[in-house]
Amino acid sequence: MNNPLPEPFAHLTPYRSWALSTEDARMRRRISASMSEITDYYQTLLPEIDPIAKHLDKWPLAELPAEQKPLLYLAMMFMETAMCVEFFFDPDVPEALGAEHIELYAGRSEQLVNS
Amino acid sequence: MNNSTRPFADIYPEIGTGPVSTAPAVDPAFFEREREKIFRKMWVNMILREEDLPNPGDYFVRDIEVLDASVIVVRGDDGKLRALHNVCTHRGNRLVRDESGSCNGFQCDFHGWVFNNQGELAFVTDEQRFHHLDKPSLGLAKVHLDTWRGFIFVNFEETPSQSLEASMADFNQDLKPFPFENMVLAGRYRYETNANWKTTMNAFQESYHAAFVHKRSVRQCLEDDGDPYLASQRIKLQPNGNQSISVHLPPHDLTPTEMIAYGMGATFTQGGDGNVNSFPGTAQAQIENWAFDLNIMFPFSRINVGAGWYYVDAFWPVAHDRTVYELAFYFPMPTSAGAMISQEYSKIVLRDLSREDLFTNEVTHNALRSGAIKSIQLSDQEIAVRHQYEKVTEFCR
């Protein structure tokens, strides 16, 4: 887990534990995090998403090298935190069916990247 | 002449405008009638597409609890898709326990009988000790299967009382041209709720609730003073119970994340700006600030189409007070990381909004069960809810 992230994103290595490979794991991580952790993550990653996407688009998605995948996972984790910061002001969805009643299954792209 | 604030009652005068009885939502005996008169006769949308089972031997198992049934959908070595009861013809054991997979055949874990992937009985262990086994007649019991634009449906009637195509009615013109084949499964979700299937579904049949239920999650779309309740411009009700409701979203200031997501792909809250008729099979051309169409296949499944994406969902009745909501979201297969990151945003928005929609059901169901109110009041914007109660009651008579 402590391997540095690829350049030019090695400075994001402290956030490596957020680089979770499934939507299910990312959602569970989000709702178990504190709002201050989420806000810190969101603010740090916000300016990095476009550069990460541009960087990863050097490879076709199906051929993304293993060492680059954590960057993709970080960007998708950012999308989880975006709803919290921009709309909910809370790690979870307020006034909503509890997450314990939900099951998530992988789509094709998640299967492709994680295969 | 249409009343401009209540246009739909004039278009569908037979549906009426009075209060609607709560009995169909809370009476367990009514649910038993629904089971026999509606659920046993309908074409069941399996929330599954032909391309999900591309190769001979690929299979998928779905339990349809309301009919006490478990069905295997499998592509045989002959290339044909079949729906088979998941019940061994020896002594009735459940044959397949996995949810999906690929195989040449299925072996029962009770006494080892083997069925091939076309459902035929292929091998009986210790066969010589049986008396008069008529093996050709002991294949797995068949369920009718048909497809519509790649979507797999099954029907449990001995002989279906109408074809799948006939049951799709106006969708054969209005929805059929949508480019479903250009998209793949991006995410699948399953939610359990303790409420009647209609109470659950009714939260998804009008836009009126958005200003309250989604006051946080789509706040940016609710700031148009002239249209605070996102009043629907188009609601099309069909005689067989099918419905189509168009949802629009006013132009809005983008959040930083919406801006990132829009920059890399189609998104859920983006709407269909761009060329009119960019999205065939939708009502884009008829609706100002069109965002997506909710297409309800009576009684409880939907194929909802938007600007470059669609999602299929169903409000599976389990018991009179239990419902499973299942949703499958489809996007073009991303070829770049950027597209995948953008799609993730839409998935999360829809997932979080669905959880908001499902928040009121359980408490509403309990409140209705108390008997405190005997009827519900429905505005012209909620005519699809009214239409659903009318059709369910008509078919249960």
Side-chain angles (χ1 to χ4, degrees), chain B residues 15-186:
Chain B
I15 295 171
T17 54
V20 168
S21 169
T22 59
V26 295
D27 179 3
F30 192 91
F31 187 79
E32 293 309 314
R33 290 209 292 283
E34 288 177 329
R35 190 199 309 269
E36 299 310 319
K37 304 253 186 180
I38 298 175
F39 305 147
R40 238 180 251 295
K41 297 179 174 182
M42 67 184 186
W43 282 95
V44 183
N45 183 347
M46 300 293 271
I47 321 284
L48 185 69
R49 289 187 53 80
E50 284 181 81
E51 59 264 28
D52 293 329
L53 304 171
N55 303 310
D58 290 352
Y59 69 90
F60 182 93
V61 177
R62 174 179 285 293
D63 291 350
I64 298 161
E65 289 159 287
V66 71
L67 299 178
D68 298 319
S70 175
V71 175
I72 309 166
V73 177
V74 58
R75 192 177 292 281
D77 279 340
D78 59 358
K80 265 187 70 176
L81 280 174
R82 288 179 181 79
L84 305 162
H85 279 285
N86 187 14
V87 178
C88 179
T89 54
H90 173 216
R91 280 172 55 188
N93 186 38
R94 183 185 175 97
L95 184 62
V96 185
R97 295 181 191 257
D98 296 335
E99 284 179 16
S100 62
S102 190
C103 66
N104 296 323
F106 307 102
Q107 182 165 35
C108 182
D109 59 16
F110 197 0
H111 304 90
W113 283 29
V114 176
F115 300 83
N116 68 21
N117 58 27
Q118 297 174 201
E120 296 157 337
L121 177 57
F123 180 71
V124 174
T125 49
D126 211 11
E127 185 179 347
Q128 70 276 12
R129 295 182 199 276
F130 280 91
H131 304 286
H132 312 289
L133 273 190
D134 178 23
K135 283 167 68 184
S137 72
L138 289 172
L140 298 173
K142 290 197 171 92
V143 181
H144 296 281
L145 179 147
D146 200 358
T147 62
W148 188 88
R149 292 293 279 113
F151 296 100
I152 297 172
F153 289 75
V154 302
N155 186 302
F156 287 88
E157 280 189 292
E158 192 79 21
T159 307
S161 45
Q162 68 173 340
S163 68
L164 174 60
E165 193 179 9
S167 76
M168 296 304 281
D170 290 1
F171 294 136
N172 289 307
Q173 293 84 48
D174 298 348
L175 179 60
K176 206 170 191 172
F178 192 82
F180 298 108
E181 56 281 341
N182 295 348
M183 300 174 203
V184 301
L185 182 72

Side-chain angles (χ1 to χ4, degrees), chain A residues 84-95:
Chain A
C84 307
V85 174
E86 295 177 1
F87 294 107
F88 296 137
F89 314 117
D90 195 283
D92 205 348
V93 188
E95 298 182 29

Side-chain angles (χ1 to χ4, degrees), chain B residues 115-383:
Chain B
F115 300 83
N116 68 21
N117 58 27
Q118 297 174 201
E120 296 157 337
L121 177 57
F123 180 71
V124 174
T125 49
D126 211 11
E127 185 179 347
Q128 70 276 12
R129 295 182 199 276
F130 280 91
H131 304 286
H132 312 289
L133 273 190
D134 178 23
K135 283 167 68 184
S137 72
L138 289 172
L140 298 173
K142 290 197 171 92
V143 181
H144 296 281
L145 179 147
D146 200 358
T147 62
W148 188 88
R149 292 293 279 113
F151 296 100
I152 297 172
F153 289 75
V154 302
N155 186 302
F156 287 88
E157 280 189 292
E158 192 79 21
T159 307
S161 45
Q162 68 173 340
S163 68
L164 174 60
E165 193 179 9
S167 76
M168 296 304 281
D170 290 1
F171 294 136
N172 289 307
Q173 293 84 48
D174 298 348
L175 179 60
K176 206 170 191 172
F178 192 82
F180 298 108
E181 56 281 341
N182 295 348
M183 300 174 203
V184 301
L185 182 72
R188 184 188 280 270
Y189 309 91
R190 187 179 187 277
Y191 309 75
E192 289 187 15
T193 174
N194 294 315
N196 184 265
W197 67 278
K198 294 184 295 300
T199 308
T200 306
M201 185 171 171
N202 294 161
F204 296 73
Q205 278 174 291
E206 34 84 2
S207 304
Y208 181 32
H209 69 281
F212 287 86
V213 171
H214 305 307
K215 59 184 177 287
R216 297 181 181 89
S217 54
V218 292
R219 191 178 58 236
Q220 79 282 27
C221 301
L222 298 168
E223 287 166 356
D224 181 346
D225 291 340
D227 184 23
Y229 299 109
L230 302 177
S232 287
Q233 300 163 41
R234 173 184 168 274
I235 299 177
K236 189 176 180 189
L237 308 175
Q238 303 179 34
N240 71 350
N242 291 352
Q243 308 175 336
S244 182
I245 303 163
S246 295
V247 178
H248 64 280
L249 293 171
H252 53 272
D253 293 335
L254 304 184
T255 68
T257 308
E258 278 183 301
M259 226 168 324
I260 292 171
Y262 284 15
M264 301 191 292
T267 66
F268 180 69
T269 52
Q270 181 172 20
D273 44 351
N275 294 330
V276 168
N277 296 325
S278 298
F279 304 101
T282 74
Q284 181 200 10
Q286 304 166 49
I287 306 296
E288 196 181 343
N289 299 321
W290 174 79
F292 51 90
D293 298 331
L294 304 171
N295 295 304
I296 295 149
M297 271 132 277
F298 185 83
F300 59 69
S301 78
R302 310 191 298 179
I303 300 175
N304 306 316
V305 292
W309 49 264
Y310 72 95
Y311 67 99
V312 187
D313 58 6
F315 302 83
W316 296 99
V318 178
H320 77 279
D321 57 356
R322 271 182 63 212
T323 301
V324 167
Y325 177 51
E326 188 180 0
L327 187 161
F329 206 174
Y330 291 78
F331 268 98
M333 184 70 184
T335 53
S336 70
M340 188 169 174
I341 294 164
S342 172
Q343 290 177 11
E344 193 72 4
Y345 180 66
S346 290
K347 287 165 60 183
I348 294 163
V349 173
L350 185 60
R351 193 182 75 214
D352 285 356
L353 260 73
S354 307
R355 290 180 55 198
E356 292 178 326
D357 283 314
L358 293 166
F359 179 61
T360 58
N361 309 314
E362 290 192 19
V363 288
T364 299
H365 184 79
N366 285 333
L368 292 179
R369 220 157 30 173
S370 75
I373 61 171
K374 302 280 190 277
S375 62
I376 53 175
Q377 317 302 314
L378 297 167
S379 88
D380 199 50
Q381 281 292 310
E382 297 165 291
I383 194 168

